[in-house]
Amino acid sequence: MTNAGAIFAEVYKRYFGDVYKFVYRRIRNKEIAEDITQDVFCAAWNDIDKFLKHPEPKGWLIVTAKNKLRELYRKMAHEAPETLKEIPEPAAEEADYGEIELDLTAFRIISREEWKLIKDYYLVGIKITELAEKYETTPNNMRVKLCRLKAKLRKKIDR
């Protein structure tokens, strides 16, 4: 094993659990979290010279995980059906009923765009400043909007 390979193997052993936990906390799906975590380490291996020179390997891995999660949510948003009637019935063995139920509950309380905003911030981890820029508002207004949406959801769900 080359020196870079040995160093990479040590980094993999040391940080795999941290990266997996970071991803899993955001998506709550074991298989997808494992896939994304593996993709993160593949990206590190594919750019091994740059990765090994980075002063904070764990930070590099976490930022890469955030980017992989953003890619996943962009893909999901792009492929999402426009109305609830278009949501296909999942097969029992592949259904994640908790997530579907959460989405359906949220859609009864807030709009799809508002739910996407909540997911982008709380699940994907997009920063307030980035969301404010995306929605053409100030960071303070974005904080207020997120706070109000969260309160609205909590109020309806806690009943």
Side-chain angles (χ1 to χ4, degrees):
M1 184 181 284
T2 66
N3 190 29
I7 294 169
F8 184 81
E10 184 61 35
V11 169
Y12 183 89
K13 286 178 197 171
R14 185 172 183 186
Y15 296 121
F16 184 90
D18 293 335
V19 174
Y20 173 80
K21 287 176 195 171
F22 174 83
V23 173
Y24 182 79
R25 277 188 227 120
R26 281 152 180 80
I27 59 173
R28 301 284 183 202
N29 182 301
K30 183 181 179 206
E31 291 80 19
I32 294 173
E34 289 170 353
D35 288 345
I36 290 175
T37 303
Q38 197 63 39
D39 287 348
V40 168
F41 282 93
C42 285
W45 180 254
N46 289 336
D47 204 1
I48 189 74
D49 293 332
K50 185 178 177 182
F51 174 70
L52 292 179
K53 290 177 185 173
H54 197 278
E56 292 292 329
K58 183 178 177 182
W60 190 98
L61 294 166
I62 295 297
V63 168
T64 303
K66 282 182 183 180
N67 292 335
K68 296 287 183 186
L69 285 166
R70 284 185 186 133
E71 287 174 22
L72 173 68
Y73 278 104
R74 282 185 194 118
K75 182 179 178 185
M76 288 171 58
H78 186 269
E79 295 174 357
E82 289 301 315
T83 66
L84 291 178
K85 292 176 187 171
E86 293 176 289
I87 296 176
E89 285 295 320
E93 63 274 7
E94 60 186 68
D96 184 358
Y97 291 109
E99 186 175 335
I100 292 169
E101 184 177 350
L102 180 62
D103 286 344
L104 293 174
T105 301
F107 294 154
R108 281 186 255 140
I109 301 167
I110 60 177
S111 71
R112 279 184 178 273
E113 187 174 308
E114 290 170 329
W115 181 236
K116 177 154 177 26
L117 177 64
I118 291 283
K119 288 173 85 172
D120 280 350
Y121 181 69
Y122 289 102
L123 298 177
V124 179
I126 298 176
K127 295 179 181 178
I128 294 274
T129 52
E130 293 174 27
L131 288 171
E133 188 176 304
K134 178 179 176 181
Y135 289 91
E136 298 176 350
T137 188
T138 66
N140 193 45
N141 285 347
M142 184 54 63
R143 278 187 202 89
V144 170
K145 183 172 186 148
L146 284 165
C147 185
R148 287 180 180 162
L149 287 172
K150 189 168 101 173
K152 187 176 182 181
L153 283 167
R154 184 175 286 141
K155 181 179 175 184
K156 296 282 186 176
I157 292 173
D158 285 346
R159 284 187 181 174

